[in-house]
Amino acid sequence: MTLFKRIIDGEIPAKVVYEDDDVLAFLDISQGTPGHTLIIPKEETASLLTASPEVLTAVSIASQHVAKLLMEKLGASGVNILSNANAVAGQTVFHYHVHVIPRYDHDELTFTFKKHENDIDRIHQRITQ
Ligand code: AMP
């Protein structure tokens, strides 16, 4: 059983900020910025890659709701919404979740995409052939 299933079942405490029939949203224990929240479906599924359309829809709608809630209540100016799928991408809890990370003017969080010498034409060809 995953850690997040234990949170759903109430075995492990969490700082819940939003809940409905399908999802639970609670503060991430490591706050990337103040208000960093995780949205998880109550139905168990490993990641975004395995989630059903219904689960994806419920999590997506809740993510927008929570993003607006965090912006309103905490005075954030924007959000990053991301989901890590599989260990190579940094996933550590294998119950689908979306990070909603409020962004503030002059906060110090950075996501950088470094330039690489990849052949973009070849990559495009591989994906679309
Ligand atoms: P990921 O690395 O995308 O799988 O995200 C898992 C997230 O769960 C990490 O950002 C952790 O900080 C967070 N986390 C781990 N344990 C807890 C917990 N008990 N309550 C809240 N968040 C947690």
Side-chain angles (χ1 to χ4, degrees):
M1 183 187 287
T2 67
L3 174 68
F4 289 172
K5 175 64 174 154
R6 296 179 69 194
I7 287 176
I8 292 166
D9 291 347
E11 289 173 22
I12 293 177
K15 300 285 188 200
V16 174
V17 297
Y18 173 76
E19 179 172 13
D20 63 29
D21 288 346
D22 302 313
V23 310
L24 190 65
F26 53 91
L27 296 180
D28 193 305
I29 206 162
S30 34
Q31 293 278 284
T33 64
H36 179 173
T37 296
L38 299 173
I39 318 289
I40 68 172
K42 292 184 178 176
E43 182 179 311
E44 283 190 279
T45 189
S47 77
L48 177 145
L49 299 171
T50 59
S52 67
E54 292 77 17
V55 164
L56 292 172
T57 300
V59 170
S60 182
I61 290 170
S63 299
Q64 186 198 46
H65 175 77
V66 169
K68 289 179 173 177
L69 178 73
L70 298 174
M71 289 180 67
E72 182 193 328
K73 299 283 189 174
L74 299 178
S77 306
V79 289
N80 291 109
I81 295 180
L82 67 94
S83 188
N84 300 324
N86 292 347
V88 72
Q91 186 176 11
T92 58
V93 180
F94 294 90
H95 179 120
Y96 173 39
H97 54 280
V98 165
H99 297 255
V100 179
I101 305 171
R103 301 306 304 265
Y104 304 89
D105 296 338
H106 312 301
D107 71 34
E108 290 177 1
L109 190 66
T110 53
F111 299 94
T112 48
F113 296 95
K114 285 186 191 151
K115 277 191 181 169
H116 291 95
E117 295 303 314
N118 286 316
D119 179 348
I120 196 168
D121 292 328
R122 179 75 190 121
I123 294 166
H124 180 250
Q125 200 177 39
R126 286 175 64 196
I127 295 167
T128 56
Q129 266 183 358

